[in-house]
Amino acid sequence: MSFWENFWDIFWWFFTACVFFAYLFGVFAIIGDLFRDHKLNGWWKAVWIFFLCFMPFVSLLVYLAARGDGMAERSIERARRDQEEADSYIRRVSSASPTEEIARAKALLDAGTISADEFARIKNRALV
């Protein structure tokens, strides 16, 4: 009988594969959190890495129980900081400075593309 002929063998194979990938995700999340935590001493980081290598499932569960709250806080802080950096970058590249905007409007006014009233509206909007 072939492996692929039995439904439960296939189910068990997929289940163990999912558990293995979830475990790998947890290990890499913990390693990333260890090196992101600046309050933790380097020796404690080495101890956690040692136990993750030699007692993987137990140390993964202990780490999540002991330091899970701090892990969540660091993750939230990092996401907030990344969002602020992205927002500031978008603001910096998307909007021109008021001086540049008024200079462009003045060039359009001199070329006759816009009227004096439109130039005044653009100037007021840029200065607000």
Side-chain angles (χ1 to χ4, degrees):
M1 183 160 74
S2 168
F3 171 77
W4 294 106
E5 291 176 5
N6 189 346
F7 170 77
W8 291 110
D9 287 341
I10 296 169
F11 177 80
W12 183 251
W13 185 85
F14 278 112
F15 177 75
T16 55
C18 287
V19 168
F20 177 72
F21 285 119
Y23 166 73
L24 284 180
F25 178 80
V27 167
F28 287 123
I30 287 174
I31 291 171
D33 183 63
L34 279 172
F35 289 105
R36 232 180 274 126
D37 187 7
H38 299 294
K39 295 177 185 173
L40 190 63
N41 185 324
W43 287 106
W44 281 111
K45 291 177 184 181
V47 168
W48 279 112
I49 296 292
F50 175 81
F51 280 108
L52 278 172
C53 291
F54 293 106
M55 294 184 3
F57 291 108
V58 173
S59 52
L60 183 115
L61 293 174
V62 169
Y63 187 90
L64 291 176
R67 298 180 46 87
D69 292 338
M71 191 174 179
E73 290 170 4
R74 283 184 291 280
S75 178
I76 290 169
E77 176 61 29
R78 182 180 174 103
R80 185 192 56 75
R81 189 180 67 238
D82 290 347
Q83 184 64 45
E84 286 175 357
E85 288 175 5
D87 291 345
S88 69
Y89 173 76
I90 290 169
R91 272 189 240 103
R92 189 175 69 241
V93 298
S94 67
S95 65
S97 69
T99 308
E100 293 171 348
E101 199 168 333
I102 292 171
R104 274 193 244 132
K106 179 67 173 153
L108 290 173
L109 177 66
D110 293 342
T113 308
I114 61 173
S115 67
D117 292 334
E118 290 172 319
F119 174 74
R121 272 189 274 136
I122 292 172
K123 184 177 174 183
N124 287 336
R125 188 184 66 211
L127 295 175
V128 172

